[in-house]
Amino acid sequence: MGKINILTIQLTKTPASPNNFLDSLKTITELANAEFREQKKELVLSIDEKYIDDEAETIQQVISKLRADGGEIESTKQSFPVMNMTCAACASSSKNVLSFVPGILNVAVNYANGKAEIEYLPTLSNPKQMKSALQEVGYDLLIEEKESSRKNLEQLQQERYKKLKRDTWSAIILATPLMIIGMIFMNMPYADYIMWALATPILFIFGRRFFVGAWKQAKHFSANMDTLVALSTGIAYLFSVFNIFFPQFWESKGLEAHVYFEASGVIIAFILIGKMLEERAKGNTSSAIKKLMGLQPDTVTVFKNDIPTEVSISEVQVDDIILVKPGDRIAVDGIVTEGSSFIDESMISGEPIAVEKVIDAKVFAGTINQKGSFRFKANKVGKDTLLAHIIKTVEQAQGSKAPVQDLVDKIAGIFVPAVMGIAILSFILWMILGGDNNFVHGLLAMVTVLVIACPCALGLATPTAIMVGIGKGAEEGILIKDAESLELGRKVDIVVLDKTGTLTEGKPEVSSVLWNKDITQEQKNILYSIEAQSEHPLADAITAKLKDETQLLGAVKVHQVSGKGIDGDYNEKHYFVGNPQYIRSKNIHISSDLNNQINQELEAAYTVTVFADSENTLGVISIADKLKPTTKEAINKLKEMKIDTAIFTGDNPMVAKALANELGISNYKGNVLPEEKAALVKELQQQGKVVAMVGDGINDSAALAQADVSIAMGKGSDIAMEVAKMTIISSDLLKIPQAIRLSARTVTTIKQNLFWAFIYNVIGIPIAAGILYPFNGFLLNPMIAGAAMALSSVSVVTNSLRLRGKKLGVNSKQ
């Protein structure tokens, strides 16, 4: 299916029926311009038949179907910080609000990192509309430009944390005497009035945020954690005020008029303590991003008219010559033009050994120069550097959702209304079955249920573990694009490996060349000119061998033959460069001496490239590519983890067999075309296996896209890295078992977090409602409930942070 015209989507939200896609399609035909009318009608009819059921569907559902069938939608994806969220239910609420903004296709709001990932149609919607929609319900969206947005966000977060800290300590100072009087000196003169005076500022000054948030939610018939806190403390406070002014109401019934100011005040104090600790811990979950951001220097020495000048990093432009002194951090990506040194790239690649840099070597932003001085030319600056790409990928990945999070979000969305229902039911049951003190016990049970039930632990369980896990991966040189691949990594049954650049160094060298005795210099020049235009790593080896004995011809036109070779045309004559099978398929004559050379080199496990014109073979080139130093160790570690391995390579079967034998791999195949590689991966999946594909070239991209977990080598092609869900920055295969280990540990942490979050509520809410009272007379104190609620969120985040300290070099899968 072709590209869907943007007007089709632009008009899909009509005032009369915002979610009725059928009505919207009718509107399109009515409003289409005359010159496009026939085209639009055809398009509408095809969508009407193929994508729309009898029942009206939302724009999101129809677009999902269109995309699944290969249609294209012109949309924009952006990440915005969401302000004023206080719990997981807030994330669900803000997501729902944004979903109703016309033109928004997909929304994911992450409570742990406070960000919304929004896909929208820029012709129909804009960030200002989104911001206004959220502001109406008490949230906000930070929509400034990237750099200023980041600084503003950090400033706002610091200010918010400082205010939270002030409010927390102020509440603690007042809550301490309040609790002492309420529990020990409750009979002292004017005790009730003193407690009233202490509790009032705690609730309505230091705890004001809860009541403001609850009111904004109530105006839109919604509820969140603020609602629970405001209801529970507000009810206890108002009940106590009533008892101060009208004690005779209870005394006439033979009951004592108790006040519960200490409960309302101490609950607010405990919840503020929990929020403060949670904010601090959540800040630590994004420490990996902060470390990466701190790698770039603020200023850099640039040569302006051969004079070294110190400028801000934001002023550096492509092609600027930059001076790097011993101990300096590299500011941007570039290529060394003068001098040499050793550079510590561990913060990007995870490799501790310094890398030598000489003229024409690449250097990357954020790495540290050691002893030497050198100059380099900037070729990537700002958002285009490798470091900026890593930061962006990690940010997006930390904001992505693991599949299990969808279920958790649904639970969090109905959690607060469900708790309010349980609290009211508790009160009613106490009124019916509670005996003499039924009202007081019922009121306390209702307050305690509202206090103890917190959706925050539930909402933080998955995203905090994902954030820490992805951050840990980045620190180890494993760049993970989304939460789903991180979660799925632990289930991998088999790792499929490409050869060149994955198992091997990816630096093939020509070991021997045997020419046809009648070859001319011009034909050698043609071979050099063809290979100079090829993207294959073997071509680099051939051009490196021939560059001193040939010259480049400008009139050679080439055509890539995927997985087989490359063709060239010069002076109306056709030439072929490729593997022996490709040359034989053209029925080209191969002389006996060249044929013997091919067979001998293949048996010796060399890669063989054949050069021919349309009649005769002109030369046989043997190429060798050494194994990476860590390849064998990595394969052995995967075996120890009970994970199978396979080699699928475009190289000849003899090379594949020799390599497989050397590594102890039984599953291998040579002469595999790119589309066949993807089909082989699919075949493994059909056998019920979870497949990880590891590759580095353009020819691996189809197989990477097909695999359950796709892993690209960082020194490979940009296309492979774009398709893959994980990138090994250093291209070290030992990082693959580490990535699987990281996945297993992250998922274990998620399970632990979810277990404790669920078990806390499953046990805590019935106890708060008074289920133990008939058996042993126990009623949970609302103040203890407040402390437990605060502790639940902090414990979940703290458990996630434990991931940061764990090493990934363990030899087991679990």
Side-chain angles (χ1 to χ4, degrees):
M1 183 159 185
K3 196 170 194 177
I4 308 304
N5 192 289
I6 193 63
L7 180 62
T8 308
I9 307 303
Q10 183 178 352
L11 299 172
T12 52
K13 295 270 187 174
T14 62
S17 183
N19 286 317
N20 189 323
F21 199 77
L22 283 170
D23 285 355
S24 302
L25 290 173
K26 292 171 188 172
T27 307
I28 294 167
T29 55
E30 292 166 9
L31 298 180
N33 293 326
E35 59 183 303
F36 292 116
R37 186 176 296 277
E38 291 304 315
Q39 177 191 341
K40 290 283 191 307
K41 281 184 178 178
E42 284 176 20
L43 182 60
V44 169
L45 287 171
S46 69
I47 295 175
D48 191 53
E49 289 173 17
K50 196 168 183 181
Y51 295 104
I52 300 187
D53 301 330
D54 293 335
E55 298 179 7
E57 293 187 82
T58 64
I59 180 174
Q60 287 89 347
Q61 290 171 310
V62 175
I63 285 174
S64 177
K65 286 184 179 181
L66 288 171
R67 281 182 167 157
D69 205 41
E72 294 180 21
I73 306 295
E74 293 181 14
S75 63
T76 298
K77 285 184 181 180
Q78 275 185 276
S79 174
F80 300 101
V82 181
M83 312 305 291
N84 306 329
M85 290 196 297
T86 57
C87 68
C90 295
S92 178
S93 172
S94 56
K95 176 187 173 182
N96 291 337
V97 170
L98 287 168
S99 297
F100 283 104
V101 176
I104 287 187
L105 305 183
N106 290 300
V107 186
V109 180
N110 188 320
Y111 173 55
N113 68 1
K115 288 186 178 179
E117 295 285 338
I118 304 172
E119 182 185 8
Y120 64 97
L121 300 165
T123 54
L124 186 60
S125 185
N126 62 64
K128 287 184 179 178
Q129 290 174 288
M130 304 170 204
K131 183 181 178 79
S132 298
L134 284 180
Q135 284 176 331
E136 285 181 20
V137 289
Y139 307 119
D140 201 355
L141 205 67
L142 205 61
I143 60 174
E144 284 84 356
E145 285 301 311
K146 277 273 180 181
E147 198 57 41
S148 60
S149 171
R150 198 189 300 283
K151 290 176 182 174
N152 288 344
L153 178 60
E154 288 175 2
Q155 189 177 347
L156 285 169
Q157 286 174 335
Q158 286 174 1
E159 288 173 3
R160 188 175 66 180
Y161 181 73
K162 284 178 183 175
K163 186 177 187 313
L164 177 59
K165 197 173 179 180
R166 282 197 306 271
D167 288 346
T168 302
W169 282 109
S170 301
I172 290 169
I173 289 167
L174 294 181
T176 303
L178 176 62
M179 185 169 63
I180 292 169
I181 294 170
M183 299 185 76
I184 300 172
F185 301 109
M186 71 282 287
N187 295 319
M188 66 181 277
Y190 305 107
D192 291 354
Y193 291 96
I194 294 170
M195 287 191 289
W196 186 13
L198 290 168
T200 301
I202 295 176
L203 264 73
F204 304 115
I205 297 176
F206 311 126
R208 180 175 178 271
R209 68 187 69 217
F210 300 115
F211 293 91
V212 171
W215 171 244
K216 286 179 177 177
Q217 292 288 319
K219 284 195 297 184
H220 291 82
F221 305 101
S222 185
N224 64 0
M225 191 201 78
D226 292 339
T227 310
L228 299 180
V229 175
L231 275 176
S232 58
T233 56
I235 290 169
Y237 180 87
L238 291 174
F239 180 67
S240 302
V241 172
F242 176 86
N243 286 355
I244 282 180
F245 287 107
F246 306 104
Q248 63 275 12
F249 179 84
W250 300 107
E251 290 167 357
S252 63
K253 294 178 170 55
L255 300 170
E256 192 173 344
H258 285 292
V259 295
Y260 294 96
F261 289 120
E262 80 282 2
S264 59
V266 172
I267 286 168
I268 293 285
F270 273 135
I271 293 170
L272 285 172
I273 291 170
K275 280 284 154 200
M276 184 177 73
L277 295 173
E278 182 187 312
E279 286 296 322
R280 185 188 295 172
K282 275 163 62 182
N284 288 335
T285 61
S286 59
S287 62
I289 286 283
K290 291 172 185 171
K291 281 181 187 175
L292 288 169
M293 287 177 179
L295 292 178
Q296 272 189 322
D298 296 324
T299 59
V300 62
T301 302
V302 176
F303 282 89
K304 303 276 188 183
N305 299 320
D306 289 332
I307 299 171
T309 308
E310 191 170 284
V311 300
S312 168
I313 192 170
S314 60
E315 297 175 37
V316 178
Q317 297 179 349
V318 173
D319 292 335
D320 278 351
I321 301 296
I322 297 165
L323 174 65
V324 182
K325 298 173 184 175
D328 284 356
R329 282 194 184 276
I330 311 297
V332 295
D333 292 1
I335 297 172
V336 177
T337 57
E338 185 180 319
S340 64
S341 184
F342 282 84
I343 292 180
D344 178 3
E345 296 185 345
S346 60
M347 60 291 299
I348 286 179
S349 67
E351 297 299 315
I353 300 169
V355 180
E356 186 178 9
K357 300 293 178 180
V358 295
I359 291 174
D360 290 338
K362 291 180 181 179
V363 293
F364 302 103
T367 56
I368 302 173
N369 183 32
Q370 295 195 331
K371 294 179 181 178
S373 291
F374 64 91
R375 299 180 189 185
F376 73 93
K377 181 190 282 189
N379 63 1
K380 289 182 181 177
V381 301
K383 68 180 190 315
D384 297 323
T385 66
L386 175 63
L387 179 63
H389 171 70
I390 292 170
I391 290 170
K392 182 183 177 185
T393 303
V394 173
E395 279 186 319
Q396 289 177 341
Q398 287 186 334
S400 65
K401 287 188 176 182
V404 69
Q405 185 66 20
D406 291 333
L407 174 62
V408 175
D409 285 347
K410 287 176 184 175
I411 295 170
I414 61 168
F415 187 86
V416 173
V419 167
M420 291 169 69
I422 293 169
I424 293 168
L425 180 63
S426 300
F427 179 75
I428 293 169
L429 289 174
W430 272 103
M431 289 297 293
I432 296 169
L433 307 171
D436 294 339
N437 291 320
N438 58 352
F439 183 84
V440 175
H441 285 163
L443 188 73
L444 282 177
M446 182 170 69
V447 167
T448 309
V449 167
L450 291 170
V451 169
I452 202 167
C454 176
C456 294
L458 206 56
L460 289 167
T462 302
T464 53
I466 291 294
M467 285 176 72
V468 176
I470 285 168
K472 176 73 173 174
E475 290 174 5
E476 297 286 340
I478 304 164
L479 197 55
I480 301 165
K481 281 191 182 177
D482 62 28
E484 185 175 0
S485 56
L486 179 61
E487 186 180 345
L488 195 58
R490 74 191 176 95
K491 296 181 180 177
V492 167
D493 300 308
I494 183 167
V495 176
V496 174
L497 300 145
D498 176 47
K499 182 185 81 76
T500 306
T502 302
L503 292 169
T504 63
E505 293 277 9
K507 297 176 183 175
E509 295 178 354
V510 173
S511 59
S512 68
V513 179
L514 182 63
W515 299 113
N516 184 314
K517 63 181 186 312
D518 297 325
I519 194 168
T520 66
Q521 182 60 42
E522 183 182 62
Q523 288 171 328
K524 289 183 181 180
N525 292 342
I526 291 168
L527 171 61
Y528 178 69
S529 302
I530 291 172
E531 291 290 54
Q533 298 179 66
S534 174
E535 297 174 344
H536 199 283
L538 297 181
D540 293 336
I542 295 170
T543 54
K545 177 72 174 176
L546 298 179
K547 68 179 179 181
D548 294 331
E549 55 184 278
T550 55
Q551 61 184 26
L552 195 65
L553 303 174
V556 176
K557 294 181 180 179
V558 302
H559 169 64
Q560 301 275 355
V561 183
S562 180
K564 296 179 181 178
I566 184 169
D567 298 350
D569 290 302
Y570 184 72
N571 283 347
E572 297 183 357
K573 196 165 184 181
H574 210 52
Y575 295 88
F576 305 90
V577 183
N579 60 43
Q581 288 80 3
Y582 179 55
I583 302 301
R584 288 186 178 116
S585 72
K586 299 293 180 181
N587 295 318
I588 296 169
H589 176 257
I590 303 174
S591 64
S592 59
D593 58 332
L594 291 179
N595 194 51
N596 290 336
Q597 177 75 0
I598 290 171
N599 293 331
Q600 285 173 13
E601 298 300 283
L602 289 176
E603 286 173 11
Y606 286 107
T607 301
V608 174
T609 296
V610 181
F611 173 47
D613 60 19
S614 53
E615 297 173 1
N616 294 297
T617 302
L618 301 174
V620 173
I621 304 162
S622 303
I623 300 169
D625 190 5
K626 291 187 294 185
L627 280 178
K628 291 177 183 174
T630 57
T631 295
K632 285 185 181 179
E633 188 181 352
I635 299 298
N636 289 335
K637 281 189 178 291
L638 289 170
K639 287 178 181 177
E640 289 169 13
M641 296 167 74
K642 304 293 187 285
I643 296 172
D644 292 332
T645 49
I647 299 172
F648 297 156
T649 176
D651 215 328
N652 71 76
M654 291 184 180
V655 171
K657 181 180 179 181
L659 186 62
N661 289 340
E662 186 177 352
L663 296 173
I665 296 173
S666 57
N667 189 353
Y668 62 90
K669 191 166 185 181
N671 283 342
V672 180
L673 297 175
E675 58 272 21
E676 290 175 337
K677 200 175 284 188
L680 287 167
V681 169
K682 189 173 183 180
E683 192 178 303
L684 289 170
Q685 290 170 325
Q686 288 169 346
Q687 294 170 18
K689 293 180 178 179
V690 178
V691 182
M693 172 68 202
V694 187
D696 75 318
I698 295 170
N699 61 326
D700 298 317
S701 55
L704 287 167
Q706 177 65 44
D708 300 293
V709 179
S710 48
I711 304 170
M713 296 287 106
K715 294 177 182 175
S717 75
D718 290 341
I719 293 176
M721 285 187 275
E722 193 65 35
V723 172
K725 294 298 177 69
M726 292 186 190
T727 299
I728 308 300
I729 297 171
S730 66
S731 296
D732 181 358
L733 284 175
L734 278 174
K735 298 292 179 183
I736 295 170
Q738 288 185 8
I740 294 169
R741 180 66 182 165
L742 176 63
S743 167
R745 284 185 165 157
T746 303
V747 171
T748 299
T749 302
I750 290 171
K751 287 179 178 178
Q752 290 169 348
N753 287 350
L754 288 173
F755 172 79
W756 289 114
F758 275 111
I759 207 74
Y760 162 81
N761 284 297
V762 167
I763 294 173
I765 291 174
I767 291 174
I771 198 167
L772 297 179
Y773 188 81
F775 305 103
N776 56 14
F778 177 79
L779 266 181
L780 186 63
N781 189 311
M783 291 187 289
I784 305 300
M789 177 240 204
L791 185 63
S792 66
S793 298
V794 176
S795 62
V796 161
V797 180
T798 305
N799 188 47
S800 294
L801 288 173
R802 288 172 57 239
L803 264 175
R804 288 196 305 176
K806 291 191 175 181
K807 297 189 182 298
L808 301 179
V810 183
N811 292 334
S812 65
K813 188 174 179 178
Q814 295 302 320

